[in-house]
Amino acid sequence: LIVTKAGRTFTGKKLLMATGVKDIMLPIPGFMEVWGISAIHCPYCHGYEYKGQKTAIMANAEIAIHLAGMVKNLTPDVTLLTNGTAMGLTEEQKAKLARHSIRVIEQPVAEIHTTGGQMSAIKFVDGSVESFSAAYVRLPFEHHTDIHAQLGLKIAYAGFAKGLIQVDEMYKTSVVGVFAAGDCCSPMRSIANAVAAGSFAGAAINSELLAETFTWSLNFRVSFRS
């Protein structure tokens, strides 16, 4: 049984969570103006537009190292910004960054200089200013709803999927009859991936419903998704 805020009720045999997530903006002057234009989240989505340009990365240690390798393949001038936080980089990670000429600036960011959404420079709290054309930023996020918590769905607590709903290869959650698809359960955030996941999850749900109705096993499984 599902009850909406408007008081409407719905019942069903299965539930598909496709509620997405909401990014939490950084409290840095100028950030809102550049977000989605020159402060970007994904090299696959935006890498070509800023190929060869001076680029910053703002993310935590694990994801920052991952992004650094991807972005370095697109531009020779990459700088990792810790924004004044302890990133917990290992000596091996620091050595890897140094080998690939990826600088690390540990000063907190004070302001982003921008014109019409296009980043021109980043100012740090010590007064120094560094020019950048773009910055890849891994923002914190929150779910649009707490229904996953009400249902007791398992959440990933580590890795790239940290904070997202855990699903198996059929997009089943930890609760029988509940599925999830899209950004609420995948770190690969794009419209294409969300649509594909929703389509697959819908087929998996239909397969279960048919099996329950006709008491036969359709064996609808795949091995290409891990």
Side-chain angles (χ1 to χ4, degrees), residues 2-3 15 17 19 143-153:
I2 296 175
V3 181
L15 174 65
M17 295 283 295
T19 48
H143 289 267
H144 283 291
T145 173
D146 68 348
I147 293 176
H148 64 283
Q150 295 179 40
L151 294 172
L153 305 184

Side-chain angles (χ1 to χ4, degrees), residues 105-123:
I105 297 179
E106 298 181 352
Q107 285 288 330
V109 174
E111 182 183 358
I112 297 176
H113 295 174
T114 173
T115 302
Q118 183 56 56
M119 181 184 303
S120 59
I122 293 178
K123 182 179 180 180

Side-chain angles (χ1 to χ4, degrees), residues 141-175:
F141 64 85
E142 60 185 6
H143 289 267
H144 283 291
T145 173
D146 68 348
I147 293 176
H148 64 283
Q150 295 179 40
L151 294 172
L153 305 184
K154 286 186 178 179
I155 300 295
Y157 288 100
F160 295 126
K162 182 178 180 181
L164 300 174
I165 298 172
Q166 288 186 341
V167 294
D168 66 9
E169 72 276 10
M170 304 303 292
Y171 295 96
K172 295 180 181 181
T173 70
S174 57
V175 174

Side-chain angles (χ1 to χ4, degrees), residues 25 41 69 71 79:
M25 297 295 107
H41 80 289
V71 177
T79 303

Side-chain angles (χ1 to χ4, degrees), residues 84-114:
T85 61
M87 299 188 68
L89 295 174
T90 66
E91 292 304 316
E92 180 182 0
Q93 289 171 329
K94 292 178 182 178
K96 184 179 295 185
L97 292 173
R99 281 199 307 272
H100 293 281
S101 301
I102 298 174
R103 296 185 304 142
V104 178
I105 297 179
E106 298 181 352
Q107 285 288 330
V109 174
E111 182 183 358
I112 297 176
H113 295 174
T114 173

Side-chain angles (χ1 to χ4, degrees), residues 12-212:
K13 295 180 180 179
K14 307 291 178 185
L15 174 65
L16 173 61
M17 295 283 295
T19 48
V21 294
K22 179 172 65 176
D23 289 318
I24 300 172
M25 297 295 107
L26 299 179
I28 298 173
F31 183 79
M32 285 294 295
E33 288 78 2
V34 297
W35 176 242
I37 302 174
S38 52
I40 46 188
H41 80 289
C42 171
Y44 292 122
C45 303
H46 306 282
Y48 182 80
E49 288 87 343
Y50 290 99
K51 183 178 181 180
Q53 300 185 44
K54 189 174 181 180
T55 304
I57 294 173
M58 297 175 64
N60 65 37
E62 181 181 11
I63 295 174
I65 294 298
H66 176 70
L67 281 174
M70 296 175 67
V71 177
K72 187 67 176 181
N73 194 43
L74 296 167
T75 177
D77 199 338
V78 180
T79 303
L80 183 57
L81 310 181
T82 71
N83 197 25
T85 61
M87 299 188 68
L89 295 174
T90 66
E91 292 304 316
E92 180 182 0
Q93 289 171 329
K94 292 178 182 178
K96 184 179 295 185
L97 292 173
R99 281 199 307 272
H100 293 281
S101 301
I102 298 174
R103 296 185 304 142
V104 178
I105 297 179
E106 298 181 352
Q107 285 288 330
V109 174
E111 182 183 358
I112 297 176
H113 295 174
T114 173
T115 302
Q118 183 56 56
M119 181 184 303
S120 59
I122 293 178
K123 182 179 180 180
F124 300 91
V125 294
D126 65 354
S128 61
V129 178
E130 186 88 18
S131 63
F132 291 104
S133 297
Y136 288 93
V137 185
R138 182 72 171 193
L139 290 177
F141 64 85
E142 60 185 6
H143 289 267
H144 283 291
T145 173
D146 68 348
I147 293 176
H148 64 283
Q150 295 179 40
L151 294 172
L153 305 184
K154 286 186 178 179
I155 300 295
Y157 288 100
F160 295 126
K162 182 178 180 181
L164 300 174
I165 298 172
Q166 288 186 341
V167 294
D168 66 9
E169 72 276 10
M170 304 303 292
Y171 295 96
K172 295 180 181 181
T173 70
S174 57
V175 174
V176 174
V178 180
F179 295 69
D183 292 353
C184 67
C185 64
S186 171
M188 296 292 289
R189 292 165 59 181
S190 74
I191 293 174
N193 285 328
V195 170
S199 177
F200 195 105
I205 290 171
N206 188 57
S207 177
E208 278 204 356
L209 290 171
L210 289 174
E212 292 168 3

